[in-house]
Structures are given as structure tokens and as C-alpha cells.
């Protein structure tokens, strides 16, 4: 049986590895430590809920905060965590807020010209031709590749930014009160397609400490849903299920969309994760040759009416087009003419992100979430080691390796289950005829392997300082009481949780891991939430719906939140960036650092190598839950938006933007 490998056999296999034998505690030791650290839960609410699985993490040199200089004054309450800044307050208004002593400057806005020849942004005269030369809409993932490449430069680099989706009613004039899916003209559809995808923009920090884009940089590039040719690489390339009328060999697809989170590889390429691709397809699934498979991906959902003008998005006319989306796309930002590639070995699902870390033997491990209720956590382990000297040698590294899906066991351990054609149930009897079938239908393969259905896995963030991995599980309102488990312990979970993985033997390539709950999010003052925080968490420090994650130079965890339309009920506060202590006795203490304007979502936290700048992405300002925004209390539209952030000009709609956060004295953030 595929998942019947005993734990003991795993241990034996691992112990055969010299590296593992020398450096790793045995799994039994990890387990003992897990039980033994329960005493540290004393300060936590709902310790009983956590005790079954909780451990304190390994001690870190960096967690001795008594040695650290206290640079920021903390007049209102002593702050015992390693994050030295004064918290901001929960709240919601028309603009953004950052901790005292910091600057938060919008540096790149939707519509900003970034390619040579781009016109200035004119919201009343949007064209696809202009948009494909300008910064796109709804910035999500942000990555930073220092320039020159191979350095730790923190004053010059390439920002790699995903443009996840468009919020048509506040983006386009003249459609208020109408269904955008039905009323957009061909030109407007093409504008929205050109606003999807990604942007690569050179940015520099000047002597005054201000970040500015370099609009004429040869590195600048737009990747769009409209016209970027993308090669299909890996096991699904050229497979008959990938072929269409426009691409009879199944080798090239036009565009990428719903690029949510992502990652930067150790060789400086930019990974864009395609998430809710179901929303872009229309047509009748009845009689479709792959009707059941479409259903597992929720296709078609038809949020957008692109198929009215582009027949490939109509599944009745182009039945295989959906198989060409839902992948991870690799882009080389250092080579603006290189064709991006869809890396099908990493599986097809609603990819949230793809952050990676190098395993002990040099192979690359990419962690990935599938963001839907009851979906799974995945990782990919490359077959070959990363070449850190010759970056070209990694050109096809992501095409060969093993895709795994996670099973979380009740004893605080877990197993990575291989999704390999011919392994266990992944055979012809169950509809899998090749590895191409396994990766195209990764969700169906994961079902058969009995992976653990999670509470919407979002960003999965390895921490290179501690070797642990953090998993954002954002919420799951549909989990019933009889379907809870220790990793997903709350029914009707509106608040989410953060789980920590400890790879066995500190090796990310291992197939066994230990796991701990870090926080059960929600308001600790409201017992009905079942929230669990360190008691040091203030009334402003708790949060809900964790989404994107980032780790700074010191190995400290930062969390971006996304409550969506539910913010009025879930926290009553706008989304933001929170510091989350993961070490020592103050583990699970949250602190609020930055807040977005009303209706926005917080995305993209990304530090420069020196951790003196934190780039964040303010997505869809003035959009979500504006009916509950006091004094506004109606739907937000282009003509009548809930905020005009960040320009606050009567002739300018709200604009999704990248914000650069720096300390006024230029120092490392939160030290
Ligand atoms: Fe695009 Fe799961 O957030
Ligand atoms: Ca997200
Ligand atoms: Ca991240």
C-alpha cells in the first residue's frame, strides 16, 4: 500500500543517510521534545487544544532579545518579543498606517509606465496597448532579486510582482451596477487581460532613502494573460490533453493569470503561482470529455467573460484549454527575452505560492499550498542538486523530481506522500495513464493517496535560519465538527491558523516531518473563537485569516492577512502586516505593524537582504466589505469608490500599489 510505509522503515531509510545520521536527532528525540515542551504552553489560551501537538521550537541564538539594543521606545507596554517597534491599532479608514518611526511610501501604482514608450496613466482612456506597457492591477506576490545578481545589494534590484486579478467595477468607468462578465467590450476585456500576469521592474534607493522605479531599465518586463508566449515544460508538455486548436502540439500557451503568491529560486528566477484559474472559463460542462476532472477544479466558474471574445476560454469550443492553467510559471528576470515556462512537474491545482529552500544534499524543495477549502499541502523535490555557481545549469531543474502531498497525523508527525505514476493507487485502473495525468489531476491523485484536507493552505514559507516551515491556513467556514482534526481543529473556522513543520533530520527532502500549531487565530477575548495566542498579545496584536508570509534576515516571521469581504465580522479591522514571534516563551505573540486602507487585502511582504526595507502589496483598495465601512455603506465603484488611495485625487480611482516601508533612521526593521 502506498501510504502503508511504516514509520520505522522511514527512519531506517533516513538513518542510512550519513548526513542525516550525523546531524539529526532521532524522530523519537524530536517526539520526546515535543511532549516535554508542553510546559511552555502555560501562557497560552486554549493550551488544551494545542497540547496534543505543540512543542516549543529549537532554541536560537537570535532569540536572546536581552542582548538586543532597544532602539524603539515602547512607552505604552513592555514588548518582550524580538520585534522592536510600537504597535499600531486595529481600525479601518481610507488610508494606510505604519508603526511610528517608519515611512511607508507607495512606489509603484497600477498604470505607472514601466516599459519604454508607455503612455502616462489615464483611467478614462484605458487601452490594452497602454496597459501592457504599464504596471498591472491587483499586485500580490512581491519578490526582490538584488542587482548586481549574486550580491546582497539592498539598494538596487528587480521587483518581481504578480498581478493576480482585476476588480472590474472599481477599475473601469461606466460599468457600475452592471455585471462586468456581460457588459465589458472587447477592448475592456483586453485591458483586463493585459492588467493580469506580472511585472518585473528595476527599483533603486537614492541617497535620501527613497525607493524609485527605473522606468527605462532594460530589465523591465510585463507578462500578461493577453499575449505572453509561455512554453509548457515537464511531464505534461505535448501530452494530448494539453493540445488545442491554436497549439496542436501542446507546447506553448498564451498567457498566465490569477498569479497569486510565488517565489524566487536560489538561482534568481521568479516563480508565479496560478491560483483561481476556474474563474476565467465559460461554457457548458455537460458532455465535456473530462467533465468530472473539470468539476474537481471548479471549472467553469465564470467570474470573467473573456470567453465572449476569446474562444479558448469557452470549454465548449476548446475543451483542453483549462488543462493549460493552474501551474507554476518560471520566469528569468535577468534575461528579459527568455520565454517563461510552465513547470508542470510541480502539479496543477490552485497554487497559492512556491517558496523554496535547498535540502542537505543540494536538491531544491519547493513548498506549495492549494488554496481552497479542504485542499492540500504539496512539496516538490528536484531530482538534481541546485548549481549555485552556474545559474544556467538550473535551467530545467524544475522539470525533474518528485511531487508530494502532505498527510498530517494526530501524533504531531506527518508524511509526504509521493504523487508518482504507478505508485500505490496512481495506476490505469484509477484513470492515471502517465505522469502527465498525475500532474494535470494532482488533486485527484492526492485524494487517492489520502492526503489531509486542510483549512485553505495559503503561503508556505521555509525559514532558512531555523529550517522550519510555516504554513498559513487562512480559514474554512465549511468544516463541520465531525471533520476536525488536530491540524484543522476548529469547525466553521472563520479565523485560520498557522502550523509549523519541522523536517525530519532538518532535511527538507525527507519524507517525514513533525508539526506544531503556532496560533489559532481570532480574537482571544472572545471565547467563541477558540483562539489561542500568547498572553503577551495586545488587543491590537491578534489577527485573523493569515495569508502571505515572509521571513526577515534574523529569521523572524511576518504575516499578511486577507479577510476578504468578511472583515467587518471577523476582526472589524482592516488587513495588515503582523509580526509573529515563533521562538521562546513569547512564541505566538502577534504585533500589528502596518494596516491597509478600507477594502484592500494585504499581500506580498518581501524584505531586502539587509531587512532595512519591507515591500508590501496593497491589493484591491476600496473594494471588499465597503457596505460596512461607516459613513460609506455602499458598493464601491470607479465613479464612487470607498477610497481614492493612494492618490486621493477626484479624477483618479483607487490604485493597487507597492509600498516600500523603511525606518526613518534607515536601520533594520523592528530591531
Ligand atoms: Fe490569491 Fe489564496 O490568495
Ligand atoms: Ca493570497
Ligand atoms: Ca512568502
Amino acid at each position: 500500500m502506498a501510504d502503508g510505509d511504516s514509520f520505522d522503515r522511514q527512519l531506517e531509510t533516513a538513518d542510512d543517510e550519513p548526513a542525516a545520521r550525523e546531524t539529526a536527532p532521532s524522530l523519537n528525540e524530536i517526539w520526546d521534545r515535543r511532549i516535554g515542551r508542553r510546559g511552555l504552553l502555560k501562557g497560552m489560551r486554549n493550551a488544551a487544544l494545542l497540547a496534543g501537538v505543540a512543542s516549543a521550537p529549537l532554541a536560537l541564538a537570535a532569540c536572546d532579545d536581552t542582548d538586543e539594543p532597544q532602539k524603539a521606545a515602547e512607552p505604552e507596554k513592555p514588548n518582550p518579543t524580538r520585534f522592536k517597534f510600537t504597535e499600531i491599532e486595529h481600525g479601518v479608514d481610507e488610508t494606510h498606517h505604519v508603526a511610528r518611526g517608519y515611512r511607508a511610501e507607495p512606489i509603484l501604482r497600477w498604470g505607472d509606465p514601466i516599459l519604454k514608450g508607455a503612455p502616462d496613466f489615464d483611467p478614462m482612456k484605458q487601452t490594452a496597448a497602454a496597459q501592457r506597457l504599464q504596471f498591472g492591477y491587483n499586485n500580490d506576490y512581491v519578490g526582490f532579486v538584488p542587482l548586481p545578481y549574486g550580491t546582497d545589494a539592498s539598494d538596487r534590484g528587480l521587483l518581481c510582482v504578480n498581478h493576480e486579478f482585476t476588480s472590474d467595477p472599481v477599475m473601469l468607468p461606466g460599468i457600475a451596477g452592471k455585471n462586468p462578465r456581460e457588459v465589458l467590450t472587447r477592448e475592456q476585456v483586453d485591458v483586463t487581460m493585459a492588467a493580469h500576469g506580472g511585472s518585473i521592474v528595476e527599483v533603486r534607493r537614492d541617497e535620501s532613502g527613497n525607493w524609485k522605479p527605473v522606468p527605462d531599465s532594460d530589465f523591465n518586463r510585463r507578462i500578461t494573460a493577453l499575449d505572453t508566449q509561455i512554453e509548457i515544460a515537464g511531464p505534461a508538455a505535448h501530452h494530448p490533453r494539453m493540445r488545442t486548436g491554436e497549439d496542436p502540439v501542446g507546447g506553448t500557451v498564451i498567457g498566465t493569470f490569477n498569479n497569486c503568491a510565488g517565489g524566487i529560486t536560489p538561482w534568481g528566477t521568479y516563480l508565479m503561482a496560478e491560483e483561481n484559474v476556474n474563474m476565467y472559463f465559460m461554457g457548458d460542462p455537460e458532455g465535456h470529455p473530462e467533465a468530472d476532472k473539470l468539476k474537481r477544479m471548479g471549472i467553469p466558474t465564470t467570474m470573467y467573460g473573456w470567453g465572449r471574445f476569446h474562444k479558448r476560454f469557452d470549454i465548449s469550443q476548446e475543451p483542453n484549454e483549462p488543462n493549460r492553467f493552474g501551474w507554476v510559471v518560471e520566469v528569468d528576470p535577468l534575461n528579459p527575452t527568455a520565454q517563461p515556462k510552465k513547470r508542470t512537474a510541480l502539479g496543477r491545482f490552485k497554487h497559492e505560492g512556491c517558496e523554496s529552500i535547498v535540502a542537505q544534499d543540494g536538491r531544491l524543495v519547493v513548498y506549495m499550498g492549494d488554496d481552497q477549502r479542504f485542499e492540500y499541502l504539496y512539496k516538490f523535490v528536484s531530482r538534481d542538486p541546485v548549481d549555485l555557481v552556474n545559474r544556467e545549469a538550473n535551467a530545467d531543474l524544475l522539470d525533474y523530481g518528485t511531487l508530494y502531498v502532505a498527510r498530517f497525523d494526530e501524533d504531531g508527525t506527518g508524511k509526504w506522500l509521493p504523487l508518482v505514476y504507478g505508485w500505490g493507487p496512481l495506476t490505469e485502473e484509477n484513470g492515471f495513464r502517465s505522469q502527465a495525468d498525475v500532474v494535470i489531476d494532482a488533486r485527484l491523485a492526492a485524494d487517492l493517496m489520502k492526503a489531509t484536507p486542510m483549512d485553505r493552505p495559503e503561503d508556505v514559507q521555509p525559514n532558512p535560519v531555523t529550517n522550519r516551515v510555516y504554513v498559513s491556513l487562512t480559514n474554512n467556514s465549511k468544516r463541520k465538527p465531525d471533520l476536525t482534526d488536530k491540524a484543522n481543529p476548529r469547525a466553521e473556522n472563520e479565523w485560520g491558523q498557522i502550523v509549523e513543520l519541522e523536517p525530519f533530520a532538518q532535511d527538507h527532502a525527507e519524507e517525514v516531518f513533525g508539526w506544531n500549531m503556532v496560533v489559532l487565530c481570532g480574537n482571544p477575548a472572545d471565547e467563541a473563537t477558540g483562539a489561542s495566542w500568547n498572553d503577551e498579545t495586545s488587543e491590537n496584536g491578534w489577527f485573523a485569516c493569515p495569508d502571505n508570509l515572509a521571513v526577515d534576515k534574523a529569521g523572524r516571521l511576518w504575516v499578511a492577512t486577507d479577510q476578504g469581504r468578511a472583515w467587518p465580522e471577523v476582526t472589524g479591522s482592516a488587513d495588515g502586516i503582523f509580526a509573529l514571534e515563533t521562538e521562546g516563551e513569547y512564541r505566538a505573540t502577534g504585533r500589528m505593524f502596518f494596516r491597509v486602507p478600507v477594502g484592500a487585502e494585504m499581500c506580498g511582504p518581501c524584505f531586502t537582504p539587509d531587512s532595512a526595507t519591507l515591500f508590501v502589496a496593497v491589493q484591491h483598495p476600496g473594494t471588499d466589505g465597503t457596505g460596512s465601512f461607516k459613513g460609506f455603506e455602499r458598493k464601491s465603484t470607479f465613479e464612487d469608490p470607498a477610497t481614492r488611495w493612494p492618490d486621493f485625487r477626484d479624477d483618479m480611482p483607487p490604485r493597487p500599489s507597492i509600498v516600500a516601508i523603511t525606518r526613518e533612521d534607515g536601520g533594520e526593521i523592528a530591531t
Side-chain angles (χ1 to χ4, degrees), residues 521-543:
C521 304
N523 186 353
D526 176 1
E527 285 200 0
T529 65
S532 172
W533 295 89
N534 193 295
D535 281 346
E536 286 296 325
T537 305
S538 79
E539 61 183 0
N540 295 305
W542 64 272
F543 56 81

Side-chain angles (χ1 to χ4, degrees), residues 140 164-165 258-261 275-276 350-352 371-372 456-459 474 547-548 562 601 603 619:
D140 195 307
E164 188 183 21
F165 64 103
N258 218 269
N259 308 90
C260 190
E275 192 192 22
N276 295 307
K350 294 185 180 175
H351 280 276
E352 171 73 23
D371 179 10
Q372 194 169 324
R456 294 187 55 198
E458 300 261 18
D459 207 0
T474 199
D547 191 340
N548 302 117
D562 170 20
E601 166 180 348
C603 298
Q619 196 187 61

Side-chain angles (χ1 to χ4, degrees), residues 141 261-262 355 459-461 548-550 605:
Y141 174 75
E355 301 271 17
D459 207 0
V460 187
Q461 185 73 46
N548 302 117
L549 303 171

